[in-house]
Amino acid sequence: MAMKLVFCILAVIAAPALAATKAQTTAALEGFWNVDYNRIYAGSDFHISKQSSTTSSSTTDKSSSPLFQYVNENKAFTRPTYAKFIALLDNYVHCTGTTEDYSSNEVNEIWAFLDEIMKTQVMKDAHQYLSTEGYASADLATFKDELYEIWFEPYTRKATGDTSGFEHVFVGELKCSSSVTGFHSWIQFYLEEKAGNLNYHGYIGTYPKNTPRVLTLQFKWYNMIKKIGGGFIGTSPEYDFAVYTTCFMASGGSKCSMHVDQLDLDIQTWKNTATGRVASAYPIVL
């Protein structure tokens, strides 16, 4: 009986500490919104045409026009973090099952991206929170090594070294001859739609409705279906990277909660258990 009582007391003591840590992570994530100085805005910087709604059970194209009607590329894509992010998007083989092999130039592009985003306030705040709470190194160079490890080091999804967290989340992957996996970057969506490689089918949800910051939608990429997908829209690459990294490191590859711009969100992250690297990350509107 005494032993059981000790365990009960320890559980009661430990629970508030765990709750406080989750609350602190939520506060950190919510704070990132206020320092995303590079995000762009619906109406002035980009226009979308939502057109028809659809469901994840349908595969019919219900929208005749592209989702993105206009993006001010001169304003957004010339910014250093956007430019260095976009430079990474053509470094990958889309089909799972093909080993990724970075060239020396591609490795340099990754480090250039990490160097650039670490100059931004949102990534500085992410690093500050993660290092203060013991989730990451306080040393900047070591922290960038950690980011490279969890996001860019290849691991096995279908074949040896055929995937990485960055490829899955921000570029997207094809289960060739069947479907799309990952693909949660609005920038990649816009560029692939503009290039004619992506066909928007319709929206499943837009949040908030009038000036959406999160889209849930369906599309085909290289004629393969993504029945339900989406992510943030208009946010900077460093914002998405900060949110997903912080949740992934703080939750151990699980779920975090946040409230931003009228939205209650969960950030869902997944960990590849064999390597400890990012398997996926995306927002869910509650």
Side-chain angles (χ1 to χ4, degrees):
M1 178 64 71
M3 185 64 71
K4 290 182 180 178
L5 181 61
V6 170
F7 283 135
C8 288
I9 293 172
L10 288 174
V12 170
I13 293 172
L18 180 60
T21 299
K22 288 182 178 179
Q24 289 165 358
T25 300
T26 293
L29 293 171
E30 291 174 353
F32 297 163
W33 186 257
N34 299 322
V35 293
D36 184 21
Y37 301 129
N38 277 334
R39 72 171 171 260
I40 62 173
Y41 293 87
S44 58
D45 300 325
F46 69 91
H47 303 288
I48 61 170
S49 175
K50 295 187 297 183
Q51 300 164 79
S52 297
S53 63
T54 189
T55 65
S56 60
S57 61
S58 171
T59 58
T60 302
D61 183 358
K62 298 182 179 180
S63 299
S64 59
S65 298
L67 172 67
F68 282 95
Q69 300 294 302
Y70 166 75
V71 171
N72 188 340
E73 294 187 22
N74 290 332
K75 179 177 180 179
F77 295 170
T78 57
R79 293 173 178 174
T81 57
Y82 283 79
K84 288 179 170 58
F85 174 83
I86 291 169
L88 302 178
L89 298 177
D90 64 355
N91 291 350
Y92 298 92
V93 178
H94 295 321
C95 285
T96 56
T98 303
T99 300
E100 299 288 355
D101 185 17
Y102 294 136
S103 68
S104 59
N105 183 63
E106 289 169 344
V107 171
N108 289 337
E109 287 177 344
I110 293 171
W111 286 113
F113 171 69
L114 292 176
D115 288 343
E116 198 63 48
I117 64 173
M118 287 311 305
K119 298 175 185 176
T120 65
Q121 192 60 53
V122 68
M123 279 302 296
K124 289 179 181 178
D125 288 359
H127 183 208
Q128 177 66 34
Y129 174 71
L130 290 168
S131 61
T132 298
E133 295 301 317
Y135 298 121
S137 172
D139 178 73
L140 178 57
T142 304
F143 180 59
K144 285 190 283 190
D145 287 341
E146 292 168 345
L147 294 177
Y148 190 101
E149 166 65 26
I150 64 172
W151 281 106
F152 294 99
E153 280 290 350
Y155 61 88
T156 299
R157 191 178 295 274
K158 188 176 179 182
T160 301
D162 68 334
T163 191
S164 68
F166 183 87
E167 179 186 11
H168 183 83
V169 174
F170 292 104
V171 182
E173 298 179 286
L174 297 172
K175 294 180 179 178
C176 277
S177 77
S178 61
S179 61
V180 179
T181 64
F183 204 125
H184 301 293
S185 165
W186 74 265
I187 298 171
Q188 171 73 335
F189 191 104
Y190 164 73
L191 292 172
E192 288 298 283
E193 186 175 58
K194 180 183 176 183
N197 301 325
L198 186 151
N199 180 28
Y200 169 67
H201 279 193
Y203 69 92
I204 296 170
T206 65
Y207 314 95
K209 289 186 177 180
N210 294 329
T211 55
R213 281 301 181 188
V214 176
L215 291 175
T216 307
L217 42 73
Q218 184 184 107
F219 60 92
K220 279 188 175 180
W221 186 36
Y222 290 101
N223 208 36
M224 281 169 258
I225 192 76
K226 178 77 173 181
K227 289 186 176 181
I228 181 169
F232 292 106
I233 181 170
T235 49
S236 69
E238 60 266 31
Y239 175 82
D240 292 5
F241 210 77
V243 168
Y244 296 150
T245 299
T246 298
C247 181
F248 178 81
M249 287 186 161
S251 71
S254 186
K255 191 180 289 185
C256 306
S257 299
M258 61 189 293
H259 178 86
V260 293
D261 197 29
Q262 310 171 53
L263 295 177
D264 289 315
L265 300 173
D266 276 344
I267 303 300
Q268 178 67 64
T269 67
W270 300 94
K271 179 188 290 187
N272 175 262
T273 54
T275 63
R277 297 167 189 159
V278 175
S280 192
Y282 48 85
I284 300 171
V285 178
L286 302 179

